[in-house]
Amino acid sequence: CSYNRLNGSHACDNDWLLNTVLKRDWGFKGFVMSDWGAVPSLSTALHGLDQQSGAELDPAVFFDKPLAEAAAKDAATKARLADMNRRVLYAIYANGVDQPAPKSAIDFKANGDVAEAAAKEGIVLLRNQAGALPLAVSAKRIAVIGGYADTGVLSGGGSSQVQGQGGPALALPLGGEGMFAGFISQQYHRSSPLKAMKARAPGTTFAYRDGRYIADAVAAAKQADVAIVFATQWAAEGIDAGDLNLPNGQDALIAAVAEANPHTIVVLETGGPVVMPWLDKTAAVIEAWYPGARGGEAIAAVLYGDTNPSGRLPVTFPASVAQLPIPELPGQGTIDPDFQGRPKGGEALSLDYSNEGSDVGYRWYARKGLKPLFAFGYGLSYTSFEHSGLSVTSGKAITASFTLRNSGARAGADVAQLYLIAANGKAQLRLAAFEKVSLAAGESKQIGVTIDPRLLADWKDGSWSIPAGAYSFAIGDDAEHLGPAVTVKMAARNWRDSPLP
């Protein structure tokens, strides 16, 4: 069951779950439980829901006394209750959770190393003018500004949020009233980028400014060889960003610092795309996302070149909100601040997605011929790569091969991206396959990928369909910058919901 926070509607499709998952021999060892605030009535039990979770946000707790009373009066409900209990108990014993988990000491270093490696892989270098990065350890004076960089790195909020040993380094409560007001806060992991940078460059003088006062930040930037601005945009489950600008005047801060010092580097800690009205004034920009428990160390490693950036954008960064399929959101600011996702006063809100249809994300920009700020799949490196010799074969499996070469002077990793660019003469854009490959300087490697046929097909009348004809592919650095096309003829295919044919 899901709850639509925009229009207040509920959707329970547990009949589909029962028919397509629980009744098939797919090794299913679980039961169906609801999302928070998703259960509108007791009737969901008869439609396949086994457990009501997060009942604090539902209109009532339906699966205790109301369910027991209904089962005592109705044979069908009684049988369903027995089935619910059987599924829950089966899941407990089949997955071994009836036995207490063995306790052992937590290896914080080993787990931290994994977190740091993941953060390094995900950081995206968006801009690097005149070799501004990597930083030289010989730089004499660096001004570090904003983002609580002297304290830690931003953590996104929500049900999946966890903190390391000692808890958050900083927690800024959102305030307000209601059941969630007391524990929703903007938290920072105990991993300071400033501390990590000082460890890498002990001969450099670092001056930190918190960025609250632009004049103070500008003064520090003017006295430094390099200025690094850390900019943050916090978001959480159920709390959306109001627009694509950085909050709290950070766009103005970056613009002023970049005006004062042309060697300004911006480190973004955001959960998604932001617009960058200051971009052309900066020397370099990296997107660090919410980099986790070792994010400070990962950011410092990329800034100083100990790690060659190899992350690529998983989303498109638009040039402005005007490029979005729905530039203005109806009901903005009317969602209940008590974090229950329901519109104030119960007014109905709706969004019409028919404009974009299935062409979401990068496919929307391609269809409309829009040039985004940064395309899906975009990411720079401290080295360079070349792709050549693309060939595509269509048989029982659809495969592609090409040569990838590190044409730069240092080791690094590239994410080679294969796109479908046309089908039977009709232009379209679909990411068909990708491969991340690490290469030494000057090294070449033959890469082979298998294309999931569903990425080339359309879903119609209950089945996947690939019409016979000519299909064109290209290797891209991202969704916008594509190499020469290679065309292959494919036979028609049609199959229903199933694993790969």
Side-chain angles (χ1 to χ4, degrees):
C1 287
S2 64
Y3 177 78
N4 188 323
R5 61 192 293 265
L6 287 172
N7 61 24
S9 66
H10 294 81
C12 290
D13 202 9
N14 290 310
D15 285 333
W16 177 87
L17 278 174
L18 289 170
N19 291 328
T20 61
V21 178
L22 304 185
K23 292 183 179 179
R24 292 187 182 183
D25 185 20
W26 286 1
F28 183 80
K29 296 182 179 180
F31 55 91
V32 180
M33 63 189 297
S34 64
D35 197 355
W36 286 36
V39 182
S41 68
L42 181 59
S43 65
T44 54
L46 296 177
H47 289 89
L49 186 64
D50 297 315
Q51 179 171 309
Q52 180 184 11
S53 66
E56 298 88 343
L57 296 186
D58 292 328
V61 180
F62 300 108
F63 281 25
D64 59 353
K65 186 176 180 180
L67 179 59
E69 292 176 347
K73 299 175 183 178
D74 178 65
T77 303
K78 181 179 180 180
R80 175 80 259 270
L81 177 57
D83 184 51
M84 294 161 69
N85 289 329
R86 181 183 65 82
R87 292 184 184 280
V88 172
L89 290 171
Y90 174 77
I92 290 173
Y93 288 96
N95 292 285
V97 296
D98 57 307
Q99 301 297 323
K103 293 184 178 180
S104 59
I106 298 174
D107 191 337
F108 288 102
K109 182 184 182 306
N111 292 334
D113 290 344
V114 173
E116 184 175 340
K120 290 175 179 177
E121 290 282 336
I123 290 175
V124 184
L125 178 62
L126 296 176
R127 178 176 170 87
N128 194 20
Q129 296 297 104
L133 292 176
L135 290 171
V137 294
S138 58
K140 298 299 182 184
R141 301 179 303 277
I142 296 180
V144 177
I145 299 166
Y148 293 98
D150 62 335
T151 303
V153 290
L154 185 60
S155 168
S159 302
S160 63
Q161 184 180 49
V162 294
Q163 290 291 345
Q165 191 175 22
L170 175 68
L172 305 173
L174 295 189
E177 299 178 349
M179 71 168 65
F180 290 95
F183 69 83
I184 297 179
S185 62
Q186 181 174 307
Q187 298 184 8
Y188 287 76
H189 291 287
R190 293 180 178 273
S191 179
S192 163
L194 178 58
K195 182 179 178 180
M197 292 169 64
K198 286 180 175 179
R200 276 179 165 74
T204 298
T205 298
F206 291 89
Y208 177 74
R209 298 292 186 272
D210 60 25
R212 289 186 298 162
Y213 296 99
I214 291 180
D216 184 36
V218 166
K222 286 181 176 179
Q223 297 172 13
D225 300 317
V226 176
I228 305 177
V229 182
F230 284 78
T232 62
Q233 184 192 54
W234 181 79
E237 178 186 8
I239 303 177
D240 298 328
D243 56 38
L244 296 180
N245 291 97
L246 292 169
N248 303 321
Q250 292 177 100
D251 285 323
L253 171 67
I254 296 171
V257 170
E259 188 69 33
N261 189 328
H263 305 293
T264 293
I265 297 162
V266 178
V267 178
L268 296 170
E269 296 175 30
T270 72
V274 293
V275 294
M276 305 178 197
W278 35 261
L279 180 63
D280 291 342
K281 296 181 179 181
T282 62
V285 179
I286 70 170
E287 174 59 81
W289 313 106
Y290 300 149
R294 287 274 193 87
E297 289 81 359
I299 290 170
V302 170
L303 289 175
Y304 278 97
D306 298 335
T307 294
N308 184 53
S310 59
R312 299 295 183 265
L313 290 183
V315 292
T316 304
F317 277 44
S320 71
V321 294
Q323 292 186 335
L324 301 177
I326 305 176
E328 297 183 10
L329 296 178
Q332 184 77 309
T334 66
I335 298 301
D336 186 353
D338 196 20
F339 199 61
Q340 296 191 32
R342 296 175 174 85
K344 294 177 182 176
E347 59 264 45
L349 305 176
S350 63
L351 288 174
D352 183 2
Y353 292 97
S354 62
N355 190 26
E356 57 185 326
S358 63
D359 288 330
V360 298
Y362 66 91
R363 291 163 61 173
W364 164 260
Y365 292 84
R367 191 179 93 190
K368 303 297 288 187
L370 299 172
K371 182 175 178 59
L373 187 65
F374 294 109
F376 170 86
Y378 180 88
L380 302 176
S381 172
Y382 296 152
T383 186
S384 57
F385 297 92
E386 297 174 352
H387 315 98
S388 61
L390 173 64
S391 65
V392 181
T393 302
S394 176
K396 184 176 181 180
I398 306 171
T399 61
S401 63
F402 54 92
T403 299
L404 175 64
R405 176 174 175 264
N406 182 343
S407 55
R410 59 171 292 168
D414 183 43
V415 181
Q417 303 161 44
L418 177 68
Y419 289 88
L420 171 71
I421 60 174
N424 288 322
K426 181 181 178 181
Q428 56 180 284
L429 189 65
R430 297 187 186 184
L431 179 64
F434 64 92
E435 189 82 11
K436 189 167 190 175
V437 183
S438 296
L439 296 173
E443 183 183 4
S444 297
K445 188 174 182 179
Q446 189 73 10
I447 309 299
V449 294
T450 299
I451 301 170
D452 183 336
R454 290 171 292 190
L455 297 176
L456 312 180
D458 291 312
W459 178 260
K460 185 178 180 181
D461 298 330
S463 66
W464 294 102
S465 176
I466 300 179
Y471 289 75
S472 298
F473 297 86
I475 295 289
D477 294 324
D478 52 61
E480 186 179 16
H481 302 92
L482 303 172
V486 170
T487 301
V488 61
K489 289 187 177 180
M490 294 189 185
R493 297 186 182 204
N494 186 279
W495 69 99
R496 294 195 176 274
D497 188 17
S498 66
L500 298 183

